[in-house]
Amino acid sequence: GTDYIARLLGNKLHELNGWSVVPENRPGAGTALGLAEAARAPAQGHDLVIGQTDNVTLIPLLMKVAYDPVQDLMPVALVATTPMVLLVADSSPYRTLPEVIAAAKDRPGHLSYGTSGTGGGVHIGMEMLQRDAGFKMQHVPYKGSAPALADLMGGHVDFAGSSISSAAGLLKAGKVRALAVTSPERNPSLPDVPTVAELGYPDYSVVTYYGVLTPTGTPAAVVERLNTDFNKLLARTDVREALATQGLQARPGSPQDFADLIAADIAKARDTIASAGIEIQQ
């Protein structure tokens, strides 16, 4: 996730420019504390933060935070996206996503799905899938993906969504089965796994994004220079391959491309949170 990307980009920027880049991990409040700190930093281009779907899109919609991701931070560069992978246990009777959806439609609310927590990217993505495909399952939130996947393998939940990186070891060991990925196109690390769009829901697309942000007010020339450097890195085979080991696809582009993605993602998530009745913590 964010730590891996921060270390990778820091090392590669040092190789590219000789800059000394010190990654600082700021855990807490679902990585929101790191963004809050970056939002208060001087706008000189020296303070950069990895923003991602949870701390830019979802957390500010679901709880009170000390930053506005759109007002207080400027997009510098989108780095990568990764889909969610939809899973069943190896022992599950369901072999395909359409089979799971058909069973859920036959017995509304009887089947259950596990996620890494209420209001997280997996929960929102699963709510979107239920809405688009017209079925209802019982949501079972866990504190992280490891216990959710453990209960999937143990038969305590029927279905689960996960990041590719969290599920990779279990997929390799044959303990869980991937039924679909949620990106518009197949993921290179799971080339045989179809997309939800391919399986009959062409408008369905849920990806987690990771990108670099800087405090609002940072000079445009600095943002442009940083964007150019990050795009140079994202064009390199070694960087693309390092990202791919985590199921991440490099996404070079302009600061405006990243800003547009954030705006669209916030609008889509706000709509899903409202329609699914996901509770907002005060």
Side-chain angles (χ1 to χ4, degrees):
T2 46
D3 290 352
Y4 179 85
I5 291 171
R7 285 196 306 274
L8 174 67
L9 294 180
N11 290 339
K12 298 302 179 183
L13 273 178
H14 178 71
E15 284 175 21
L16 185 70
N17 294 325
W19 294 350
S20 177
V21 182
V22 183
E24 284 186 38
N25 189 11
R26 288 281 187 273
T31 68
L33 293 186
L35 246 67
E37 195 167 310
R40 293 191 297 269
Q44 297 162 343
H46 297 156
D47 288 275
L48 303 173
V49 67
I50 303 292
Q52 39 103 326
T53 303
D54 275 4
N55 60 19
V56 175
T57 296
L58 298 177
I59 289 171
L61 291 175
L62 290 163
M63 61 180 71
K64 201 175 171 68
V65 290
Y67 62 92
D68 180 316
V70 176
Q71 300 298 323
D72 298 341
L73 293 159
M74 292 170 71
V76 173
L78 177 61
V79 173
T81 60
T82 185
M84 178 168 71
V85 59
L86 303 177
L87 304 160
V88 290
D90 184 51
S91 56
S92 171
Y94 308 116
R95 311 297 302 185
T96 67
L97 180 62
E99 284 179 17
V100 173
I101 291 171
K105 285 181 174 178
D106 281 348
R107 305 168 78 187
H110 181 79
L111 268 63
S112 59
Y113 72 93
T115 74
S116 52
T118 300
V122 173
H123 182 201
I124 300 298
M126 290 293 295
E127 289 294 342
M128 286 181 187
L129 179 63
Q130 290 178 91
R131 188 181 62 187
D132 288 4
F135 69 94
K136 197 69 193 157
M137 278 188 188
Q138 191 181 335
H139 176 218
V140 184
Y142 292 84
K143 285 184 163 47
S145 57
L149 294 176
D151 267 12
L152 178 70
M153 290 184 292
H156 303 293
V157 290
D158 301 291
F159 190 53
S162 167
S163 68
I164 290 176
S165 56
S166 295
L170 299 175
L171 285 166
K172 202 170 178 184
K175 294 183 175 177
V176 295
R177 241 183 356 257
L179 302 186
V181 292
T182 61
S183 45
E185 68 291 311
R186 292 193 182 200
N187 187 272
S189 64
L190 296 171
D192 299 330
V193 179
T195 66
V196 173
E198 279 177 64
L199 296 172
Y201 306 96
D203 296 331
Y204 185 83
S205 167
V206 172
V207 296
T208 295
Y209 61 80
Y210 295 88
V212 180
L213 302 146
T214 194
T216 295
T218 299
V222 174
V223 172
E224 201 55 49
R225 166 69 197 277
L226 287 167
N227 177 266
T228 299
D229 285 349
F230 283 120
N231 284 338
K232 270 184 200 165
L233 294 179
L234 294 172
R236 280 170 45 169
T237 304
D238 60 331
V239 173
R240 296 173 85 89
E241 286 176 352
L243 291 169
T245 64
Q246 304 294 306
L248 294 159
Q249 285 180 273
R251 300 288 189 197
S254 69
Q256 190 58 51
D257 292 336
F258 188 21
D260 292 345
L261 172 66
I262 291 170
D265 207 60
I266 289 172
K268 193 159 72 166
R270 185 181 280 121
D271 183 40
T272 303
I273 288 164
S275 67
I278 297 168
E279 221 157 279
I280 296 170
Q281 297 173 29
Q282 297 303 328

